Amino acid sequence: MKILKKIGVIVTSLFITLSTAQAETWNMALAYGASNFHSANAKEFADAVTEKSGGKLTIKTHPGGSLFKGGAILRAVQTGQTQIGERFMSAHGSFDPLLEVDSIPFVAQTYSDAQKLYKVSKPELVKGLDEKGLVFLYAVPWPAQGLYSKKAINSVSDLKGLKFRAYNSATIRIAELTGMKPTKLEAVAISQAFSTGMVESMITSPTTGKNSKIWENGVKYFYDIAAWFPKNMVVVNKKAWNKLDDATKKMVMKQAAVAERKGWALSKRGNVADKKALSDAGMEVGKVNAALQSHFEKVGATMSKEWAGRAGSRGQSVLSAYK
Ligand code: PCA
């Protein structure tokens, strides 16, 4: 009887240890504000996973850079300072040049081309992240990137000397190749940088312009050049991932696919609605003239060659599969 009791106690405590070991909590670092569509979508994903895991996995979202600022998120997830996070991919070319493929100007100018580019680059991307201890879950594009300016831009010389807000190496390079003066800033710093005159132009989505109420900071023009569709990705620390059982891993991947589908649809909607919001706020929304367009396209061709050089054979095969 005594032995049976003992075994009973051991079995019960083993069971408790196992079940507590299985209940995981992940803190999800998000760089953009809670109302941004990427963050809202991530919150829905986190809640769905939490609910469907039956108590095994809880994901708490931390929007607006409250856990880690945008620039620190990838490293924080990689090193296990947090378990999961969403990060703007093309700001990490030094981590892996493949992460920059979606920010080469004029390579993909529609959602269907952006989708195609994503499809052909995904296997390499996932592999590159996996080698660095990260599990890729999903990626969602920002709406088409256009040119914002306080002043009207009618010629190549109007670009010269403009103080330009950049967000990655590609936007810094565009500025260099067009004679603008780049300063790299996170999206959360945009309103202040424009209002103080620190910058006077930028390339980003209608969504980010709308979220920054850019018209309140003297920005009158949005040129819809649809230069590229950069993506945010959601990644998990591999050690945290490997603590999940197979059924939970499968469920998370399934919810990631759902979030990816929803995110692309939200982005498409924003691409129309947020441009309308800019013009409703009194901004002039239009195209650049033919001379400027061809100037930007030449710059894009140069950058495409530069990227292919950096990305080596992996990059070459992605670009040729895309074309
Ligand atoms: N908004 C983010 C990245 C791309 C975009 O549309 C930003 O401007 O920082």
Side-chain angles (χ1 to χ4, degrees):
M1 221 27 221
K2 254 188 175 173
I3 287 179
L4 271 183
K5 215 176 180 182
K6 254 190 188 164
I7 292 174
V9 171
I10 291 169
V11 169
T12 322
S13 61
L14 235 167
F15 181 75
I16 291 169
T17 322
L18 278 180
S19 54
T20 43
Q22 278 173 356
E24 301 292 333
T25 297
W26 288 358
N27 288 298
M28 186 173 197
L30 304 171
Y32 304 93
S35 65
N36 180 277
F37 78 95
H38 287 288
S39 303
N41 193 41
K43 171 89 168 68
E44 245 190 68
F45 160 78
D47 290 350
V49 166
T50 303
E51 193 222 302
K52 290 183 194 302
S53 79
K56 285 188 190 163
L57 175 61
T58 301
I59 306 184
K60 290 186 187 145
T61 53
H62 302 268
S66 56
L67 190 58
F68 290 98
K69 296 260 173 283
I73 290 175
L74 190 63
R75 184 131 185 85
V77 177
Q78 189 194 17
T79 56
Q81 292 173 75
T82 195
Q83 300 80 14
I84 182 169
E86 181 192 61
R87 179 56 181 151
F88 185 54
M89 295 164 74
S90 61
H92 292 283
S94 55
F95 194 86
D96 182 356
L98 253 294
L99 292 169
E100 288 184 311
V101 74
D102 63 17
S103 293
I104 309 168
F106 307 113
V107 168
Q109 293 197 266
T110 61
Y111 276 99
S112 66
D113 281 350
Q115 183 73 252
K116 194 173 148 198
L117 184 59
Y118 175 40
K119 218 175 143 198
V120 300
S121 57
K122 188 175 168 185
E124 268 307 317
L125 273 170
V126 171
K127 208 169 122 210
L129 292 163
D130 177 75
E131 282 162 7
K132 294 188 162 83
L134 291 161
V135 177
F136 175 93
L137 293 191
Y138 68 85
V140 169
W142 291 89
Q145 304 292 292
L147 175 66
Y148 288 83
S149 176
K150 288 189 175 181
K151 295 189 309 189
I153 297 172
N154 296 313
S155 68
V156 174
S157 63
D158 287 338
L159 296 168
K160 290 267 172 308
L162 280 185
K163 289 180 273 175
F164 177 83
R165 178 257 167 174
Y167 59 54
N168 61 7
S169 322
T171 46
I172 290 175
R173 189 67 183 134
I174 288 192
E176 286 168 1
L177 293 168
T178 56
M180 297 188 283
K181 285 193 239 149
T183 304
K184 197 168 156 194
L185 294 169
E186 297 270 345
V188 289
I190 290 174
S191 306
Q192 207 193 351
F194 276 91
S195 74
T196 59
M198 183 189 185
V199 295
E200 53 197 333
S201 64
M202 67 177 167
I203 292 178
T204 188
S205 56
T207 309
T208 292
K210 186 196 93 176
N211 291 350
S212 319
K213 292 203 166 82
I214 201 67
W215 54 87
E216 289 182 358
N217 301 305
V219 178
K220 273 217 185 113
Y221 301 90
F222 179 73
Y223 298 97
D224 187 15
I225 55 176
W228 63 91
F229 289 83
K231 295 185 293 296
N232 283 0
M233 63 177 177
V234 172
V235 287
V236 178
N237 175 277
K238 210 197 264 184
K239 277 196 195 132
W241 177 254
N242 285 334
K243 286 186 187 160
L244 303 180
D245 61 33
D246 287 348
T248 309
K249 282 181 182 166
K250 214 170 143 196
M251 180 276 289
V252 173
M253 282 300 177
K254 195 171 158 203
Q255 291 311 311
V258 170
E260 187 167 276
R261 250 194 332 272
K262 281 190 186 166
W264 280 72
L266 285 171
S267 179
K268 276 185 201 173
R269 214 180 305 155
N271 198 37
V272 177
D274 297 341
K275 241 180 289 182
K276 185 172 177 295
L278 299 181
S279 73
D280 287 350
M283 287 179 64
E284 281 196 33
V285 175
K287 303 276 179 198
V288 289
N289 63 34
L292 274 161
Q293 183 67 32
S294 85
H295 182 61
F296 279 124
E297 279 169 14
K298 266 186 221 140
V299 165
T302 303
M303 289 176 60
S304 186
K305 274 193 213 118
E306 290 175 349
W307 180 81
R310 274 203 306 284
S313 60
R314 290 164 75 221
Q316 300 288 357
S317 56
V318 164
L319 282 186
S320 48
Y322 174 69
K323 285 166 189 159

